[in-house]
Amino acid sequence: MARRLPKVDVVIVGVGWGGGIIASELTKQGLTVVGLERGKERKTEDYYMVHDELRYALRYELMQDLSKETITFRSNTRIRALPMRQYGSFLIGTGLGGAGVHWNGQTFRFLPYDFEIRSKTIERYGEDKIPEGMTIQDWGITYEEMEPYYDRFEKMAGISGEENPLGGKRSSPYPTPPMKQTPAIKLFAEAAKKLKLNPYMMPSANLSQAYTNEDGVSRAACQYCGYCERFGCEYGAKADPVVTVIPVAKKTGKFEIRTHSYVRRILHTGNRATGVLYTDTTTGEEIEQPADIVVLTSYVFNNVRLLLLSNLGRPYDPATGKGVIGKNYAYQVIRGGATGFFEDREFNLYAGAGALGITLDDYNGDNFDHSDLKFLHGASISLSQTGLRPIANNPVPSGTPNWGKEFKAASLKYFYRTLGVGAQGASMPFRHHFLDLDPTYRDVFGDPLIRITFDFEEQDRQLAAFTADKCGQILKEMGATHVDVRRELGPYDITPYQSTHNTGGVIMGASPDTSAVNNYLQMWDVENLFVVGATAFPHNSGYNPTDTVGALAYRAAEGIAKYAKGNGGLLV
Amino acid sequence: MAQTDERQEQAVSRRKFLKNSGLVLGGLVIGGVAGSLLKTQGPPVPQAAPAAPDFNQALMYFTPEQFRVVDAATERIFPEDENGPGARALGAAYFIDHQLSGDWGFNARDYMQGPFFPGEATQGYQGRLKRREIFDIGIQEMNNYSTSKFGKRFYELEADQQDAVLKAFETNEVKLTTISASGFFQMLRASTLEGIYADPLYGGNKNMDGWRLKRYPGNQMAYTQVIEQDQFVKMDPKSLRDHQHG
Ligand SMILES: Cc1cc2nc3c(=O)[nH]c(=O)nc-3n(C[C@H](O)[C@H](O)[C@H](O)COP(=O)(O)OP(=O)(O)OC[C@H]3O[C@@H](n4cnc5c(N)ncnc54)[C@H](O)[C@@H]3O)c2cc1C
Ligand code: SF4
């Protein structure tokens, strides 16, 4: 029998960006909140030895321990899903702050088009433009409605940036100015302008200057140390939950964090959640935490997995297209890019920051005419200078052997003479892309792993080839002496790193028939259960997800507070 | 105190070992390591101020024979040349040895539960072997292939013969049953680069000379002064050790 604890107002499963924002907002409103986090405690001082590429970037020090739990993957239902035994395609966060600790900080808003993608596509091109099997749908919320929540997330985090000339309207400028421009960034800006494109500095959670937010949290400016992605920031300059929202929640005295607490089931009677069951991983003890409201903030895979393991909501069935839990899993099309080699120029590429870069959206969303193109949506195109690290980066022009004397000479020569221009392509949902429980493989507790069924589609291949050419053009205009363009997308492969931008599975919408949660991320079927995170995205845009995850978390927090004070029922 | 005791114990056990093995008493000639223990007797040659020994350069996992193969292979992957030191001088093989002795060698943070099924290439590694086992097999097969093709063990071959062997592994021209030849080669190549460029605390990148080759500044705390500069800014590298004691 599990030990039963006294009831609290709200229990949160997982303390990353989603959990941290919910906790800070609700405790400020006087609710008592318990945050259960499977990983360990973390603080900025832990990162004094963080400039260690091997330990953090290649041995994944801060990420989920796959020996205990992983995902399984298959490209379609005809083949057997097998476990992702080692990291590759994406990296899953764990511990206080979640993946928010080791993210880059590239903080983009989605486009107005994204939130009404189906209506706008039909309006401009007719319904026939949507290919067979592509399950795009409107989000049940518009960009105008999202705007205040984006604004709140950006002000809390202190995002450094300048207005996107092709983006949605902003109610206020970014709270801090853009980051410093490097020579490579300037080169991109000039080339893009010559090509009549609209570049702007990448919005960044790496602070361009010292900043104090409305919660009174003060943070130092970024030092361009080049150890952002996959690392924690020892300066607290990169906005992460540990240096922003979590301390605010703690200060109220209403937030209790329990680390090493692995949530295994959501408890419920009928269609009301009553709390959660978790295991204290230090003792093995099973504990029941009752709560009036349960909030899932355990990232895409565990949000879906916990619902399915707990028999909550209607599981998605790809054969009929019915059911909603696990529906519309989407990812990202990252491979269509280009690499430029500059024979007579060197750049200080060891210096950089996770979100230092420059971007353009001329080929993103519906900012360009798709009438003659065989794909919908598009990609943001960026040059970023994240800090080149020596093990992972050994660029050589195509045709160079990849070991031996010639390789050595070329890799030394081109280390600082190579610039990449990359496309971050949107991923559209298809009826046969989904998440469910694996029938064979289990975690350390004996519970089924989550299973991904996903592959790239013709749409993605066309998109990658299109954006790769654009990236190549920009590099040529920048004066590269040799350009390698990567047009071939290939099948989706779990082994090379692409991006940790997994989305969908508990999607939002205007109707319970086609979505799992409403636009407060409240479950249609279980009114006191909120599911927060990129699980709510009905499709994935041509950007990084976290600004939208954060904005939706602020929106959900507002809804939860309303729900807690009201007489129950659905908020919309 | 404790230290002296330990040393005495070691001396005793080494004497015991020699006695038990019959090397001393029997006077038989035995090749290999055990034989060479005997040869190191005799009065020490006086030397000019000796450099501090590198206690890190000792084997944690490989047998000396395995080490010779890996050391030779890493040097072909990243050879010494007019640009500067190669993998051998940088200690890449020691790095690999040390890595195999720990978490990475045991796949401690990988999902290693069964059942095991062969999968598509896009599904990633699906074997049951740990990295240290893959190295054991790969090294053995390198020697086997070298012997059948050129009549010598890998580390005894000429450089171009060694390259031919590595190439045969890289392209799966050698047919192995238990592991993928090219998979093993890729692992060897990747860990060679790690041994050259990882922080020297791991036993490779000796004296930070790997970083110097690439003009990589290592563990500096800030580049605020550099970030906007047009000219390449070169600086002497710092290691994590500098940071801890600095
Ligand atoms: C290397 C890397 C770089 C990235 N860069 C960017 C970027 O530049 N821009 C951007 O927008 N996004 C980026 N991302 C993505 C970004 O990190 C995520 O979108 C964001 O952190 C998601 O927040 P979350 O709160 O939903 O989930 P997470 O941060 O993953 O938090 C979920 C938490 O739940 C916990 N948890 C899970 N299951 C359980 C359970 N059963 N019981 C208890 N606790 C549990 C986990 O341990 C974790 O702490 C990056 C991600 C990675 C890995
Ligand atoms: S680059 Fe800037 S934000 Fe990133 S870790 Fe370094 S100091 Fe922090």
Side-chain angles (χ1 to χ4, degrees):
Chain A
M1 264 306 274
R3 177 158 63 97
R4 200 187 156 104
L5 298 174
K7 187 158 124 182
V8 294
D9 294 332
V10 180
V11 66
I12 292 174
V13 182
V15 189
W17 266 131
I21 289 169
I22 300 291
S24 73
E25 290 306 291
L26 297 183
T27 52
K28 279 195 255 173
Q29 306 247 0
L31 296 169
T32 57
V33 179
V34 163
L36 300 172
E37 168 54 51
R38 66 179 172 185
K40 63 180 178 184
E41 179 82 31
R42 281 195 193 122
K43 45 194 186 318
T44 306
E45 301 90 279
D46 297 343
Y47 308 132
Y48 289 168
M49 284 286 147
V50 84
H51 289 203
D52 184 337
E53 183 184 9
L54 186 74
R55 176 173 167 192
Y56 290 91
L58 303 170
R59 305 283 189 258
Y60 315 110
E61 172 83 12
L62 297 174
M63 285 76 177
Q64 171 180 306
D65 179 349
L66 294 185
S67 73
K68 300 196 167 115
E69 177 193 341
T70 183
I71 55 95
T72 69
F73 158 68
R74 57 180 179 175
S75 38
N76 61 62
T77 50
R78 290 181 301 279
I79 68 170
R80 189 201 312 264
L82 293 174
M84 177 175 83
R85 296 188 179 277
Q86 303 168 0
Y87 273 117
S89 180
F90 47 80
L91 303 168
I92 308 170
T94 193
L96 198 66
V101 166
H102 50 74
W103 73 318
N104 293 47
Q106 305 177 357
T107 316
F108 294 96
R109 293 181 176 194
F110 284 9
L111 297 164
Y113 161 81
D114 280 307
F115 298 97
E116 298 165 275
I117 189 167
R118 187 176 158 83
S119 311
K120 287 187 190 254
T121 302
I122 294 172
E123 195 180 296
R124 187 164 174 189
Y125 307 100
E127 192 157 1
D128 288 351
K129 185 74 184 169
I130 303 171
E132 173 73 29
M134 185 193 279
T135 49
I136 44 173
Q137 61 189 61
D138 293 353
W139 288 38
I141 197 165
T142 62
Y143 174 81
E144 287 66 38
E145 292 169 289
M146 282 292 285
E147 205 286 333
Y149 306 104
Y150 274 129
D151 192 55
R152 291 200 62 192
F153 181 77
E154 290 164 5
K155 285 186 173 144
M156 176 275 295
I159 303 306
S160 305
E162 63 181 337
E163 185 157 347
N164 174 1
L166 301 178
K169 241 172 89 93
R170 303 181 57 90
S171 58
S172 53
Y174 283 104
T176 51
M179 301 189 79
K180 291 182 198 287
Q181 292 204 349
T182 67
I185 287 174
K186 285 188 188 139
L187 210 54
F188 180 99
E190 285 156 19
K193 281 181 196 147
K194 268 193 226 142
L195 294 168
K196 305 258 182 309
L197 302 169
N198 292 278
Y200 62 101
M201 285 298 284
M202 187 179 278
S204 164
N206 322 136
L207 285 177
S208 62
Q209 63 185 35
Y211 178 68
T212 303
N213 73 11
E214 286 163 2
D215 293 318
V217 173
S218 295
R219 288 159 40 226
C222 172
Q223 303 298 306
Y224 300 91
C225 79
Y227 280 78
C228 253
E229 176 177 0
R230 307 188 181 195
F231 306 82
C233 176
E234 70 270 42
Y235 296 100
K238 176 169 72 180
D240 82 26
V242 179
V243 297
T244 53
V245 287
I246 293 172
V248 172
K250 275 187 178 162
K251 224 179 94 190
T252 62
K254 297 264 178 194
F255 187 39
E256 187 193 337
I257 300 171
R258 289 183 214 140
T259 50
H260 302 100
S261 301
Y262 198 106
V263 177
R264 298 185 45 212
R265 292 290 183 282
I266 304 154
L267 303 170
H268 54 101
T269 45
N271 57 359
R272 281 191 80 83
T274 55
V276 300
L277 175 77
Y278 70 96
T279 301
D280 175 342
T281 59
T282 62
T283 60
E285 189 186 13
E286 295 205 336
I287 302 171
E288 192 182 318
Q289 176 61 65
D292 286 331
I293 297 170
V294 176
V295 190
L296 284 187
T297 49
S298 56
Y299 196 63
V300 173
F301 299 116
N302 276 324
N303 281 358
V304 177
R305 184 165 173 253
L306 281 167
L307 290 174
L308 292 174
L309 285 174
S310 309
N311 290 314
L312 278 165
R314 290 153 289 143
Y316 176 67
D317 178 356
T320 61
K322 297 236 157 52
V324 284
I325 309 301
K327 180 182 164 179
N328 280 23
Y329 173 74
Y331 188 52
Q332 204 119 61
V333 183
I334 293 284
R335 282 212 186 148
T339 307
F341 298 87
F342 294 76
E343 282 299 325
D344 11 78
R345 233 188 129 162
E346 291 192 312
F347 304 90
N348 290 304
L349 297 175
Y350 51 78
L356 175 63
I358 182 158
T359 301
L360 49 90
D361 286 313
D362 299 79
Y363 307 109
N364 203 359
D366 202 21
N367 289 344
F368 56 114
D369 185 20
H370 288 69
S371 303
D372 295 330
L373 296 170
K374 292 201 191 74
F375 62 89
L376 289 175
H377 213 302
S380 55
I381 289 181
S382 306
L383 174 137
S384 50
Q385 186 168 336
T386 57
L388 217 54
R389 293 182 289 271
I391 303 172
N393 296 290
N394 291 282
V396 292
S398 53
T400 314
N402 77 348
W403 57 278
K405 187 175 160 59
E406 225 180 302
F407 165 77
K408 180 183 176 186
S411 67
L412 298 181
K413 174 176 172 189
Y414 289 108
F415 189 44
Y416 296 118
R417 291 174 206 263
T418 306
L419 298 178
V421 170
Q424 175 155 218
S427 178
M428 296 298 103
F430 283 83
R431 183 166 156 168
H432 48 281
H433 296 171
F434 63 102
L435 302 173
D436 67 352
L437 294 177
D438 190 275
T440 310
Y441 291 96
R442 290 166 187 271
D443 71 6
V444 275
F445 300 108
D447 288 327
L449 298 179
I450 195 85
R451 171 170 70 177
I452 301 176
T453 305
F454 177 81
D455 201 353
F456 291 131
E457 301 289 327
E458 184 53 25
Q459 136 101 19
D460 302 314
R461 273 179 266 286
Q462 296 276 344
L463 171 62
F466 177 84
T467 56
D469 289 342
K470 304 293 177 198
C471 294
Q473 275 166 20
I474 296 172
L475 276 164
K476 278 190 198 114
E477 190 66 42
M478 285 169 68
T481 38
H482 174 94
V483 178
D484 283 341
V485 175
R486 290 180 304 279
R487 300 182 91 245
E488 295 301 317
L489 183 60
Y492 173 62
D493 183 341
I494 202 87
T495 60
Y497 186 76
Q498 290 152 71
S499 88
T500 307
H501 304 160
N502 318 82
T503 64
V506 194
I507 64 173
M508 63 194 288
S511 152
D513 296 338
T514 52
S515 62
V517 294
N518 63 28
N519 65 25
Y520 285 101
L521 308 191
Q522 178 185 32
M523 251 180 95
W524 293 113
D525 300 353
V526 191
E527 63 175 51
N528 66 336
L529 179 56
F530 292 76
V531 187
V532 177
T535 22
F537 298 5
H539 72 269
N540 198 8
S541 185
Y543 296 115
N544 315 60
T546 307
D547 206 1
T548 306
V549 169
L552 285 173
Y554 276 104
R555 165 97 185 157
E558 189 184 294
I560 296 166
K562 223 188 267 181
Y563 178 82
K565 285 177 197 140
N567 305 317
L570 289 170
L571 291 159
V572 285
Chain B
M1 263 314 277
Q3 232 180 9
T4 333
D5 286 353
E6 237 171 59
R7 272 206 208 120
Q8 268 169 4
E9 205 158 74
Q10 268 173 16
V12 170
S13 56
R14 174 160 295 176
R15 264 204 306 278
K16 231 198 255 165
F17 162 69
L18 292 176
K19 217 178 187 170
N20 293 348
S21 66
L23 282 172
V24 181
L25 296 178
L28 296 166
V29 177
I30 296 185
V33 202
S36 69
L37 279 177
L38 297 174
K39 292 183 206 137
T40 59
Q41 307 302 324
V45 186
Q47 281 179 342
D54 187 346
F55 294 107
N56 192 280
Q57 294 213 334
L59 298 179
M60 294 178 179
Y61 177 69
F62 287 142
T63 64
E65 171 75 4
Q66 289 178 316
F67 180 80
R68 280 182 208 114
V69 174
V70 172
D71 192 41
T74 58
E75 180 66 12
R76 291 317 303 155
I77 290 169
F78 200 85
E80 176 145 4
D81 63 6
E82 61 279 4
N83 287 310
R88 174 171 289 140
L90 295 169
Y94 283 110
F95 166 90
I96 297 173
D97 170 74
H98 295 1
Q99 286 294 303
L100 286 174
S101 77
D103 275 4
W104 187 74
F106 281 106
N107 298 52
R109 300 186 70 220
D110 296 339
Y111 187 82
M112 295 302 279
Q113 293 180 44
F116 292 93
F117 295 107
E120 309 287 324
T122 55
Q123 291 176 305
Y125 179 66
Q126 293 297 334
R128 60 182 76 225
L129 294 174
K130 296 180 174 157
R131 290 187 184 88
R132 40 168 54 197
E133 296 167 321
I134 294 176
F135 264 89
D136 286 348
I137 298 168
I139 293 166
Q140 181 65 53
E141 296 287 359
M142 279 172 73
N143 267 345
N144 291 348
Y145 185 79
S146 303
T147 313
S148 68
K149 190 109 185 163
F150 300 110
K152 285 179 181 164
R153 287 173 288 192
F154 180 77
Y155 54 89
E156 295 164 336
L157 302 178
E158 299 299 323
D160 54 339
Q161 295 173 322
Q162 290 179 337
D163 287 353
V165 173
L166 289 171
K167 194 95 205 149
F169 273 75
E170 186 188 20
T171 55
N172 281 320
E173 191 190 308
V174 267
K175 301 283 175 238
L176 305 181
T177 46
T178 38
I179 61 167
S180 135
S182 61
F184 168 66
F185 177 82
Q186 287 314 330
M187 197 187 279
L188 186 63
R189 175 192 180 267
S191 50
T192 301
L193 290 174
E194 290 171 359
I196 290 162
Y197 295 125
D199 192 279
L201 83 87
Y202 295 101
N205 187 10
K206 197 170 165 56
N207 194 34
M208 301 190 283
D209 287 341
W211 286 345
R212 284 197 183 83
L213 274 175
K214 242 184 182 174
R215 294 174 296 160
Y216 185 70
N219 182 21
Q220 312 279 336
M221 300 313 294
Y223 295 119
T224 328
Q225 304 309 319
V226 173
I227 195 76
E228 290 170 305
Q229 288 201 36
D230 266 311
Q231 290 303 308
F232 185 77
V233 181
K234 202 180 155 193
M235 44 191 110
D236 204 45
K238 280 190 158 59
S239 69
L240 283 163
R241 187 179 185 281
D242 290 314
H243 189 48
Q244 180 158 17
H245 301 281

